[in-house]
Amino acid sequence: MPYPELVLKGKKAKDAAYQLGHLSSQVKDKALEAMAEALIAKEEEILAANALDVESGRKKGLSKALLDRLLLTPKRIEEMAEGLYALVGLSDPIGEVVHQWKRPNGLEIGQVRVPLGVVGIIYEARPNVTVDAAGLCLKTGNAVLLRGGSEAIRSNMTITRIIAEAAEEAGIPAGAIQLIETTDREAAQEMMKMNEYLDVLIPRGGAGLIQTVVKNATVPVIETGVGNCHVYVDSDADLEMAENIVINAKTHRPGVCNAMETLLVHKDVAKKFLPPVSNRLMNLNVELRGCPRSVSIVPGINEATEEDYNTEFLDLILAIRVVNSFEEALDHIRRHGSGHSEAIVTNNYSCARQFTRRVDSAAVYVNASTRFTDGYQYGLGAEIGISTQKLHARGPMGLNELTTIKYVCYGDGQIRQ
Amino acid sequence: MPYPELVLKGKKAKDAAYQLGHLSSQVKDKALEAMAEALIAKEEEILAANALDVESGRKKGLSKALLDRLLLTPKRIEEMAEGLYALVGLSDPIGEVVHQWKRPNGLEIGQVRVPLGVVGIIYEARPNVTVDAAGLCLKTGNAVLLRGGSEAIRSNMTITRIIAEAAEEAGIPAGAIQLIETTDREAAQEMMKMNEYLDVLIPRGGAGLIQTVVKNATVPVIETGVGNCHVYVDSDADLEMAENIVINAKTHRPGVCNAMETLLVHKDVAKKFLPPVSNRLMNLNVELRGCPRSVSIVPGINEATEEDYNTEFLDLILAIRVVNSFEEALDHIRRHGSGHSEAIVTNNYSCARQFTRRVDSAAVYVNASTRFTDGYQYGLGAEIGISTQKLHARGPMGLNELTTIKYVCYGDGQIRQ
């Protein structure tokens, strides 16, 4: 391996993980508090490092959206600290006996919740991920190896140093929170193959980053985040409810993965439903791109391309399609969806039941907005992302999803017959 | 993609999976029975195909062990059929509501158990895996794409045709059970990258096969099976109990993954414990390979190399090491173990507690044989392998581990505030 930093930090993380799994919740919670306090106390240091990143990003010509994601403010630093305090209040999943039972031969078999070990996070411009990921991993007894984007390297180095020092002073082993400081592509590629040191790799960022990690990693990956979400307004829908759900799913926060990207409308209600909802959407600055039938109902909107139906806009853009039937709606979702969140608005029992059964997505809604796919909204607490894959975790990945189990078996001399 | 067979069968599997998830348990169970009956009814056809495989294997100079794994007999076919009947008796996990709760806004959120989708299995010489895997996948509503070794191709083709036909006649969609008939390496490599069609890939076979799949697959993999298992006899052990556990863990079935490969003995009991247990082991034809101290206590046994401590012998060979302390035993397991199954024999409360907490393996035993790591022994029923990784499944992978969940949320117009 040509990157000694990776090997060195990988080993250190593994050693730290060996101890982290047995720390008491008290020690971990104290450390989270200390990390939050340190962020606030050293706010100026962080802002100074961030200013250099932003300045250099501006010179490199980063887009306005990217610069905004990169930018830290006193308020954003406070939010990072609050995220850590929020974790303190959550119960520690480690050590929970999930099930325990006794076999006929007297052997007692228990499933005990334990940390995954070392979690690798590959992310892009947002320095708040550094704190988020470090906090979630520490709470669940995992060591974390962070690898942020080069745009944010000064911010990430400063933040990591501050929180890692605070954690160590509070009794967390050195190596529990580390940042890979080599930011070239080759180092990231190598990190994706560090099976000896990493138990799991979680990419956080856009579709491009996620696909690169999925295609190149030999370490097990959890795929998060790409959400090409649909709302289907059925012929039996309460149209006022449908309108509110559509407005909410599209405009409440268009830049996040659980926002709606395509609206499907049953032909029987299209003429009644589309004009008023289109008006409201356009008044909220949403650009509409419709199928030929939607364009004929709402003249003046753009025509959608096939590619639009495959796109996660993450923006105030909405693709619309009028469908002939419930089956056609299911088929559209099956062909274009990313398996994140889909909603049906209907008062028809059979359609509601069929939709929840046959749509193969992490979250399926009847008569509710797709915007609810979120750890806090589900009552699960902080999350590290929304998994759109089927192994290990699906949907909001909270504390439990950063753990695994082991079987602990108590006997008094049992041997197999 | 240069292998049209893979794309064709991948698509067919995906289409089948879309329907399989909604079949009633009755239809699936009837199909399992029909498959079992067909295996028995067409026994001669299977034996004839298998005879050709064995003949050609003999000509190619396959080892005796490999030829034995390849060989089918009426008894082995009967066992395959019995495996299918056993699945009929197990309850269907699909559709189970794992949890459901209500949020303050009235939104009801349920976690519902659903199939993974399409499961790929890459395996070696044993044709019984074909039936095992097909049965487990069908019971859990998954489509299966099988890719067996070239040595067994005629047997696998015949078996797959027989069970797939029987399943289809019983109402299972075509494409639910398929075998990849191209047996060259490149086809397997390509299968490992079929992310579009496969939801998970499970290799079943030796360490070499498993490592090839882990290193090359972009499809999520579940690693199964490599077991370099340890029994540690503590200074506070009941030595009679320890002797029985050691004999059982080594000799009850030495060729399987949960058999012990290394015996660790605390120095304080080594002189008393090692001579009698070594005698019994040698009488059972076990070859012993010891550290210098064990050799001085049991003269005449071979000296172990460092490599022996890393080896899963799967044979009547046992590595032995005398350790100075409990900590040294933990350290040995940490450095050499494969994370499968480890046991401590002790009457010391603190050592038992420390061992179960600090040994990072799928299964950890106090005063019991490692041979219990098995779906049926745990009372979990049929399994597709023992997972030694931490994501998704750890330990025996039964029916539940071939499923995932989706969130199904019922509302009456809820939107996010």
Side-chain angles (χ1 to χ4, degrees), chain A residues 375-396:
Chain A
Y376 280 107
Q377 293 298 319
Y378 279 10
L380 304 170
E383 58 169 60
I384 201 150
I386 309 290
S387 164
T388 52
Q389 68 171 41
K390 294 181 180 175
L391 283 196
H392 187 70
R394 200 176 192 201

Side-chain angles (χ1 to χ4, degrees), chain A residues 146-183:
Chain A
L146 299 155
R147 201 278 186 190
S150 57
E151 325 76 71
I153 184 67
R154 296 178 195 86
S155 315
N156 288 337
M157 280 174 66
T158 307
I159 292 172
T160 307
R161 180 173 42 75
I162 289 169
I163 58 177
E165 276 176 13
E168 253 187 83
E169 274 169 36
I172 301 298
I177 302 169
Q178 294 179 96
L179 178 78
I180 301 295
E181 299 177 4
T182 317
T183 57

Side-chain angles (χ1 to χ4, degrees), chain B residues 208-222:
Chain B
L209 171 76
I210 292 168
Q211 277 314 305
T212 303
V213 174
V214 168
K215 295 287 176 206
N216 292 289
T218 54
V219 174
V221 171
I222 296 181

Side-chain angles (χ1 to χ4, degrees), chain A residues 301-373:
Chain A
I301 69 172
N302 293 320
E303 198 147 323
T305 63
E306 196 64 10
E307 197 40 37
D308 283 327
Y309 295 116
N310 293 325
T311 303
E312 186 189 22
F313 299 114
L314 295 174
D315 205 345
L316 287 173
I317 303 171
L318 177 68
I320 303 178
R321 174 169 272 169
V322 175
V323 295
N324 289 312
S325 63
F326 174 73
E327 288 296 329
E328 205 179 298
L330 286 185
D331 194 55
H332 180 101
I333 292 170
R334 192 181 164 206
R335 280 185 296 118
H336 299 282
S338 64
H340 194 295
S341 301
E342 333 295 339
I344 184 174
V345 187
T346 191
N347 279 320
N348 181 294
Y349 174 80
S350 164
C351 285
R353 194 165 149 86
Q354 290 286 316
F355 193 85
T356 59
R357 283 180 161 198
R358 290 170 60 193
V359 171
D360 187 21
S361 295
V364 186
Y365 295 86
V366 180
N367 295 346
S369 170
T370 55
R371 284 281 293 124
F372 286 107
T373 309

Side-chain angles (χ1 to χ4, degrees), chain A residues 11 14-16 18 22 101 103 105 107 109 111 114-118 193 195 199-201 214-223 241 244-245 248 252-253 258 330-331 334 352 355-369 371-374 376-380 389-396 401 403-417, chain B residues 14-16 18 22 101 103 105 107 109 111 114-118 193 195 199-201 214-223 241 244-246 248 252-253 258 330-331 334 352 355-369 371-374 376-380 389-396 401 403-417:
Chain A
K11 275 191 188 152
K14 205 160 177 178
D15 284 340
Y18 190 62
H22 320 296
W101 61 96
R103 296 292 299 154
N105 63 359
L107 191 65
I109 297 176
Q111 287 186 316
V114 295
L116 288 168
V118 182
K193 298 185 167 30
N195 296 55
D199 292 287
V200 58
L201 200 53
V214 168
K215 294 289 177 205
N216 292 288
T218 54
V219 174
V221 171
I222 296 181
E223 220 176 314
M241 182 194 287
N244 291 331
I245 287 173
N248 186 258
H252 182 259
R253 204 172 156 200
N258 58 18
L330 286 185
D331 194 55
R334 192 181 164 206
F355 193 85
T356 59
R357 283 180 161 198
R358 290 170 60 193
V359 171
D360 187 21
S361 295
V364 186
Y365 295 86
V366 180
N367 295 346
S369 170
R371 284 281 293 124
F372 286 107
T373 309
D374 170 284
Y376 280 107
Q377 293 298 319
Y378 279 10
L380 304 170
Q389 68 171 41
K390 294 181 180 175
L391 283 196
H392 187 70
R394 200 176 192 201
E401 283 71 28
T403 70
T404 180
I405 60 108
K406 73 176 169 192
Y407 285 95
V408 174
C409 310
Y410 302 95
D412 12 57
Q414 280 81 354
I415 58 173
R416 188 152 164 194
Q417 302 301 326
Chain B
K14 205 161 176 177
D15 284 339
Y18 191 63
H22 321 294
W101 61 96
R103 296 292 298 155
N105 63 357
L107 191 65
I109 297 175
Q111 288 185 315
V114 295
L116 287 168
V118 182
K193 298 185 170 20
N195 295 55
D199 291 286
V200 56
L201 200 54
V214 168
K215 295 287 176 206
N216 292 289
T218 54
V219 174
V221 171
I222 296 181
E223 217 176 316
M241 181 194 288
N244 290 333
I245 287 173
V246 165
N248 186 259
H252 182 258
R253 207 173 152 201
N258 59 17
L330 286 186
D331 193 56
R334 193 181 163 206
F355 192 86
T356 57
R357 284 181 159 196
R358 290 171 58 193
V359 170
D360 187 21
S361 295
V364 186
Y365 295 87
V366 179
N367 295 343
S369 170
R371 284 282 293 123
F372 286 108
T373 308
D374 171 282
Y376 280 108
Q377 294 298 319
Y378 278 11
L380 304 171
Q389 68 172 40
K390 294 181 180 176
L391 283 197
H392 188 71
R394 200 177 190 197
E401 283 71 28
T403 70
T404 181
I405 59 108
K406 73 176 168 194
Y407 285 94
V408 175
C409 309
Y410 302 96
D412 12 58
Q414 280 81 354
I415 58 173
R416 188 152 164 195
Q417 303 301 327

Side-chain angles (χ1 to χ4, degrees), chain A residues 285-302:
Chain A
N285 298 314
V286 179
E287 181 196 332
L288 304 180
R289 303 182 184 174
C291 64
R293 268 196 288 189
S294 356
V295 175
S296 79
I297 297 170
V298 189
I301 69 172
N302 293 320

Side-chain angles (χ1 to χ4, degrees), chain B residues 48-186:
Chain B
N50 184 251
L52 294 174
D53 281 335
V54 171
E55 179 56 26
S56 128
R58 200 163 289 158
K59 277 186 193 150
K60 276 188 210 143
L62 293 191
S63 73
K64 225 182 122 182
L66 214 62
L67 284 172
D68 179 61
R69 268 177 244 162
L70 182 55
L71 182 73
L72 290 178
T73 60
K75 180 156 177 285
R76 287 186 177 179
I77 292 175
E78 205 174 295
E79 283 167 1
M80 294 182 336
E82 273 164 20
L84 294 174
Y85 284 123
L87 286 173
V88 175
L90 298 176
S91 72
D92 183 353
I94 300 305
E96 180 198 350
V97 178
V98 182
H99 294 293
Q100 183 154 333
W101 61 96
K102 196 163 100 175
R103 296 292 298 155
N105 63 357
L107 191 65
E108 279 176 283
I109 297 175
Q111 288 185 315
V112 180
R113 207 178 276 291
V114 295
L116 287 168
V118 182
V119 177
I121 312 270
I122 297 191
Y123 55 110
E124 294 180 320
R126 297 166 61 167
N128 63 313
V129 173
T130 310
V131 176
D132 258 28
L136 284 161
C137 288
L138 179 58
K139 180 81 188 186
T140 48
N142 292 292
V144 67
L145 216 51
L146 300 154
R147 200 278 184 186
S150 57
E151 326 76 67
I153 185 66
R154 297 179 193 84
S155 314
N156 287 338
M157 281 173 67
T158 307
I159 291 171
T160 307
R161 180 172 42 73
I162 290 170
I163 59 177
E165 277 175 13
E168 254 186 86
E169 275 170 37
I172 302 298
I177 302 168
Q178 295 178 95
L179 178 76
I180 301 293
E181 297 178 4
T182 317
T183 58
D184 52 34
R185 253 165 211 281
E186 289 70 29

